[in-house]
Amino acid sequence: MEKVIGLLFDIEKKANQIIERANDEKTELFEENEKEIEQMEAAIIEENNKKINLLLAQAEQEIETEKQHLTECSQKQLTDLEVSYERNHDVLVEKVFQSIIQHGVR
């Protein structure tokens, strides 16, 4: 009987060691999983930041191109107005003057 109790004690001791080892492995695997998740999250954040920065750079380039285009168009309009003024100034002044003379000042 004493031998059976000794064997049961050994079995219980080994079972407890197995459970303890399984718990240690479980904890280790959990920690490894957590590290891998953190690394994946960091990689995803970095990739998203790169994409966002690329999109921002593209948007800034498009805005700069549009701004340049608008500046060029505005400059052309100013030049056209100046040319029109130079060509038609005397004629317009004469028309206004003739209109005042014909209709009188009211």
Side-chain angles (χ1 to χ4, degrees), residues 33-93:
N33 255 356
E34 286 297 310
K35 286 179 185 176
E36 288 179 14
I37 289 171
E38 287 175 11
Q39 289 173 346
M40 286 182 357
E41 287 176 344
I44 290 169
I45 289 170
E46 184 179 347
E47 184 179 334
N48 285 343
N49 284 338
K50 285 180 183 178
K51 289 177 182 179
I52 288 170
N53 289 336
L54 179 63
L55 290 173
L56 283 173
Q58 288 174 343
E60 287 175 5
Q61 181 62 40
E62 290 175 11
I63 289 170
E64 187 60 34
T65 301
E66 184 65 23
K67 188 170 115 180
Q68 211 170 17
H69 176 71
L70 289 172
T71 301
E72 290 169 2
C73 286
S74 296
Q75 188 60 43
K76 184 180 180 319
Q77 287 178 343
L78 284 173
T79 303
D80 291 346
L81 284 172
E82 288 174 0
V83 168
S84 176
Y85 173 78
E86 291 294 325
R87 285 186 186 158
N88 300 319
H89 176 262
D90 294 337
V91 173
L92 291 173
V93 168

